[in-house]
């Protein structure tokens, strides 16, 4: 079962929430426990901080990695959006690999001495608390369990964290498309071993060459990355560019090598999967792109919002994600391209 909700209805307080449940928002792409997301973190994390503040209702609490501009909070208040509780900034934790700053989930786990600052909000109501993150992972489950013990009350998070984490692997979701009746872009999955750099480069280059026989341009996408950080465009003679790029993707070892389809727009179709597993389509936006492959936010409304084929495809994917245990807000990226007839 799927339901349709207009964008105006989305702005009504509480649409994305269970009645009587308060949300503790931890929205930060670096909650993904993968180095590729750490690389993308500084470029795009502020989009997700804004998303959390926009979705929060008056009784909710938002945790941020960096302070937000006061003017933005005033803007939200004028629109009757956002929480009444001032957002809290989680202090930095010990740097991880290569000196990268940990994501929010890691910060909270590494710094339990900061948790008492949550106590006034946690103890202000007996209503159940839901831990809301941009993408649930196994670390989300661990944080939920530890905060539950600390505050001696249940702290829930929606859906199956492992299912949500798995669905964010591009290679995994690509493999499911034919079973949903959706034809994937021509391409192949290639696994490499960074411990053998010459063999890894040769294997990936061979895959590129095979695809270049049927297409003029190829895009390589890291299995688990965001914001265009794991994307590389290649033409026929770019072996040196590939050789420079591949080491920057370590330890990511799985890649999608696909035909590059120049796009007119890249719509993002957003669904909310409620606690009962029912997907609600509530908005389609166009992704703003920096250059050809890098993400720079979204604009509304989308040019392709009225395309029935787009929504039909997205509904199939949303239904499949719901059946696997995914809950909460999801977004699916599409490309709108032209065929040889210009259509």
């Amino acid at each position: 079962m799927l339901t349709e909700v207009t964008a105006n209805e989305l702005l009504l307080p509480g649409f994305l929430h269970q009645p009587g449940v308060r949300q503790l928002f931890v929205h930060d792409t670096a909650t993904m426990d993968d180095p590729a997301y750490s690389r993308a973190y500084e470029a795009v994390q502020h989009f997700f901080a804004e998303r959390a503040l926009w979705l929060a209702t008056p009784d909710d609490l938002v945790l941020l990695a960096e302070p937000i501009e006061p003017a933005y909070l005033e803007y939200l208040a004028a629109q009757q959006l956002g929480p009444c509780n001032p957002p809290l900034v989680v202090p930095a934790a010990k740097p991880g690999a290569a000196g990268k700053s940990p994501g929010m989930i890691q910060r909270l786990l590494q710094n339990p001495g900061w948790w008492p600052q949550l106590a006034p909000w946690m103890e202000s109501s007996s209503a159940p608390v839901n831990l809301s993150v941009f993408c649930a992972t196994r670390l989300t489950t661990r944080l939920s369990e530890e905060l539950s013990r600390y505050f001696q009350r249940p702290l829930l998070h929606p859906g199956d964290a492992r299912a949500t984490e798995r669905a964010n692997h591009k290679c995994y979701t690509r493999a499911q498309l034919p079973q949903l009746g959706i034809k994937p872009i021509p391409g192949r999955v290639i696994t490499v071993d960074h411990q053998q750099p010459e063999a890894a480069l040769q294997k990936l280059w061979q895959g590129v060459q095979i695809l270049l026989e049927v297409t003029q341009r190829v895009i390589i996408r890291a299995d688990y990355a965001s914001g265009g950080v794991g994307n590389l465009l290649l033409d026929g003679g770019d072996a040196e560019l590939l050789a420079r790029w591949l080491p920057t993707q370590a330890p990511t070892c799985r890649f999608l090598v696909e035909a590059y389809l120049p796009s007119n727009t890249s719509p993002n179709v957003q669904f909310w999967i409620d606690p009962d597993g029912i997907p609600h389509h509530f908005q389609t936006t166009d992704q703003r792109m920096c250059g050809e492959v890098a993400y720079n936010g979204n604009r509304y409304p989308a040019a392709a919002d009225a395309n029935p084929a787009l929504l039909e495809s997205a509904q199939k994917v949303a239904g499949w994600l719901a059946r696997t245990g995914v809950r909460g807000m999801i977004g699916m990226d599409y490309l709108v391209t032209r065929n040889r007839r210009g259509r």
Side-chain angles (χ1 to χ4, degrees):
M1 178 180 178
L2 295 137
T3 63
E4 181 93 12
V5 180
T6 69
N8 287 336
E9 287 176 322
L10 176 65
L11 298 179
L12 294 174
F15 168 72
L16 301 182
H17 304 281
Q18 294 172 259
V21 175
R22 296 189 302 160
Q23 307 280 331
L24 177 63
F25 280 95
V26 183
H27 272 210
D28 177 317
T29 53
T31 57
M32 307 291 280
D33 53 349
D34 181 275
Y37 268 83
S38 296
R39 288 195 297 274
Y41 165 68
E42 291 185 2
V44 301
Q45 77 88 18
H46 60 280
F47 292 114
F48 299 101
E50 291 188 3
R51 178 179 292 180
L53 288 165
W54 178 65
L55 291 174
T57 55
D59 289 337
D60 297 336
L61 181 65
V62 176
L63 305 185
L64 302 177
E66 304 290 343
I68 201 82
E69 289 289 338
Y72 184 70
L73 297 176
E74 293 173 3
Y75 164 77
L76 288 175
Q79 303 298 316
Q80 297 184 331
L81 296 172
C84 293
N85 306 287
L88 298 179
V89 178
V90 180
K94 298 178 181 178
K100 295 292 184 180
S101 177
M104 293 275 282
I105 298 292
Q106 291 95 328
R107 288 189 186 195
L108 289 166
L109 288 169
Q110 291 182 24
N111 195 356
W114 182 82
W115 294 358
Q117 294 192 40
L118 295 175
W121 180 79
M122 292 287 291
E123 297 169 359
S124 64
S125 170
S126 60
V129 175
N130 186 66
L131 181 62
S132 175
V133 299
F134 173 66
C135 180
T137 68
R138 286 164 288 187
L139 285 179
T140 310
T141 302
R142 179 181 160 198
L143 178 63
S144 177
E145 293 172 348
E146 294 198 13
L147 287 175
S148 294
R149 283 194 292 269
Y150 181 84
F151 288 106
Q152 297 185 347
R153 61 181 299 175
L155 192 73
L156 310 175
H157 65 84
D160 184 325
R162 291 177 184 270
T164 305
E165 186 175 14
R166 185 172 61 243
N168 276 274
H169 285 267
K170 299 180 180 71
C171 296
Y172 172 75
T173 52
R174 175 187 170 87
Q176 308 303 312
L177 294 180
Q179 301 178 38
L180 300 173
I182 301 172
K183 185 178 181 180
I185 295 173
R188 56 181 56 205
V189 176
I190 296 178
T191 303
V192 302
D193 182 358
H194 287 282
Q195 299 299 318
Q196 302 179 26
E198 292 185 6
L201 177 61
Q202 182 179 12
K203 187 175 182 180
L204 197 54
W205 181 243
Q206 286 175 346
V208 169
Q209 291 295 98
I210 292 172
L211 197 56
L212 282 172
E213 294 178 1
V214 296
T215 184
Q216 295 181 342
R217 213 172 189 195
V218 167
I219 183 169
I220 303 176
R221 300 194 293 150
D223 182 34
Y224 204 57
S226 72
V229 170
N231 293 344
L232 178 68
L233 288 178
L234 282 180
D235 296 306
D238 286 336
E240 292 184 3
L241 178 60
L242 179 61
R244 294 194 299 271
W245 176 81
L246 183 57
T248 68
Q249 299 303 305
T252 302
C253 61
R254 299 183 74 201
F255 299 90
L256 278 178
V257 180
E258 297 180 320
Y260 176 74
L261 302 178
S263 64
N264 300 326
T265 58
S266 179
N268 176 265
V269 186
Q270 297 173 24
F271 277 80
W272 171 257
I273 303 179
D274 68 24
D276 294 327
I278 300 175
H280 306 263
H281 170 238
F282 64 82
Q283 188 168 263
T284 302
T285 60
D286 278 334
Q287 296 186 93
R288 299 196 306 263
M289 309 302 286
C290 295
E292 295 178 285
V293 294
Y295 169 77
N296 190 34
N298 291 56
R299 64 169 61 89
Y300 177 85
D305 199 15
N307 188 329
L310 185 74
L311 184 56
E312 180 182 357
S313 170
Q315 287 174 329
K316 291 178 180 179
V317 177
W320 162 64
L321 291 172
R323 291 191 296 273
T324 65
V326 175
R327 297 291 183 270
M329 188 162 66
I330 60 171
M332 289 166 274
D333 298 340
Y334 285 82
L335 290 178
V336 177
T337 187
R338 291 185 181 273
N339 61 20
R340 294 179 180 178
R341 297 180 180 179
R343 298 180 62 184

